[in-house]
Amino acid sequence: MVSKRIFVVFVLPVIFSVVFGSAVMSDILEKPGRELNMWPMSSSEGFPTHKSSIEIIGLAKQYSTSVPVEIQIKIVDSSFDCGDLYITIYSSANDAVTQGGFFEQCFEKGNSIIPINDKFSKVIDTPGSYEIVAEMVSKQLQNISTRGTFTVK
């Protein structure tokens, strides 16, 4: 009697979950444009990845304390042709050092470099290791982001 209860309470739900989950995954993966990506890898881990839809242009690996960090952002994803751009520099302790916001960045399909008619330019006067994060938020509130690292000596 106890073994039947264990089967009904513990084993039977597991069997139903596996069968139902397999049916759902099979249905989802049959739809066009769907793929199963269990372990998305970033290029920083040494594995090849597809090209990012947002890139930092002009970021050097090292700056002096008197040279400004000047970058621009290239957007490859056509669904992000208009939106707000946020660029934040973090210290090695994950504290935000500086942030720049560029609002209503709309560009033509041939020119995907932002900020338009402007440049993100900040002087970091404290030596150390830093991370820069660029995030584009579309009018539909979708976002894409990228990051890079640099040092100040």
Side-chain angles (χ1 to χ4, degrees):
M1 191 69 163
V2 173
S3 65
K4 286 184 181 182
R5 286 185 188 170
I6 291 175
F7 180 77
V8 170
V9 172
F10 294 108
V11 178
L12 198 57
V14 171
I15 292 171
F16 285 140
S17 296
V18 169
V19 169
F20 182 71
S22 297
V24 169
M25 288 297 284
S26 173
D27 183 53
I28 289 173
L29 292 175
E30 285 179 3
K31 294 183 178 163
R34 294 288 192 148
E35 64 180 32
L36 181 62
N37 189 1
M38 297 288 287
W39 293 304
M41 305 293 178
S42 69
S43 59
S44 64
E45 295 173 338
F47 298 100
T49 60
H50 63 282
K51 189 169 181 151
S52 177
S53 55
I54 181 172
E55 299 174 15
I56 299 174
I57 298 175
L59 181 65
K61 294 290 181 189
Q62 185 174 336
Y63 293 91
S64 71
T65 55
S66 60
V67 176
V69 177
E70 291 184 349
I71 65 161
Q72 289 184 307
I73 306 299
K74 181 176 183 179
I75 305 292
V76 181
D77 190 344
S78 62
S79 64
F80 285 88
D81 60 351
C82 199
D84 298 333
L85 173 67
Y86 301 97
I87 301 173
T88 309
I89 296 178
Y90 295 97
S91 68
S92 58
N94 284 335
D95 294 327
V97 176
T98 186
Q99 184 177 35
F102 302 91
F103 304 108
E104 297 293 321
Q105 295 293 305
C106 299
F107 49 84
E108 298 173 8
K109 293 189 185 214
N111 183 15
S112 58
I113 304 293
I114 53 176
I116 298 171
N117 299 326
D118 203 353
K119 234 182 203 181
F120 176 82
S121 179
K122 300 290 182 183
V123 174
I124 308 294
D125 55 2
T126 306
S129 178
Y130 294 90
E131 181 177 40
I132 188 165
V133 177
E135 181 179 21
M136 179 76 170
V137 180
S138 73
K139 295 230 181 235
Q140 294 79 23
L141 298 178
Q142 297 174 331
N143 63 358
I144 52 175
S145 65
T146 188
R147 56 188 65 231
T149 57
F150 63 94
T151 56
V152 175
K153 293 191 177 190

